[in-house]
Amino acid sequence: MKAGPDAMKSEIGYNAVSEPVGRSFGGAGTQARQEMSGKSVFLLSDLLSGTDLPPGAGDLAVLGINADSRGLREGEAFFALPGSRQHGNAFVAAAVKAGASAVVPDH
């Protein structure tokens, strides 16, 4: 595992150039986020309250959560968790390709 703030950025849903993977609403209120998208939209900070997130990561829009990259829908946050055969970290690339708005590791 990588150490340091840049490693955390990549594990919380940042690409190689340290830009958010998903859409950011820049602190818009819940009602404004719903009106902007037509769907219930949460901020990553709504889902991970009480955790330290890299600057800007909390403003990522999330339409849902999923721990299975095969069923992940665009805009959902992918939670990379231990499975019965493999760890979810093995499927991060597939989740990003499927349109994950964020990737959240279990550590």
Side-chain angles (χ1 to χ4, degrees):
M1 181 177 136
K2 299 182 219 172
D6 289 333
M8 181 59 86
K9 285 181 184 176
S10 65
E11 292 181 16
I12 297 290
Y14 278 70
N15 63 24
V17 293
S18 297
E19 294 177 0
V21 173
R23 182 175 175 195
S24 173
F25 283 100
T30 303
Q31 182 177 356
R33 293 191 305 265
Q34 290 173 349
E35 290 172 5
M36 291 165 59
S37 68
K39 299 178 181 179
S40 292
V41 179
F42 303 92
L43 295 180
L44 189 59
S45 61
D46 293 337
L47 300 174
L48 300 175
S49 64
T51 61
D52 291 327
L53 297 172
D59 289 336
L60 290 174
V62 176
L63 298 175
I65 60 172
N66 205 321
D68 188 341
S69 63
R70 297 169 295 184
L72 187 126
R73 292 178 294 184
E74 186 172 354
E76 291 181 332
F78 177 66
F79 281 67
L81 304 173
S84 61
R85 293 185 175 185
Q86 288 188 308
H87 196 286
N89 289 337
F91 305 101
V92 168
V96 171
K97 186 175 181 180
S101 60
V103 173
V104 181
D106 67 338
H107 53 275

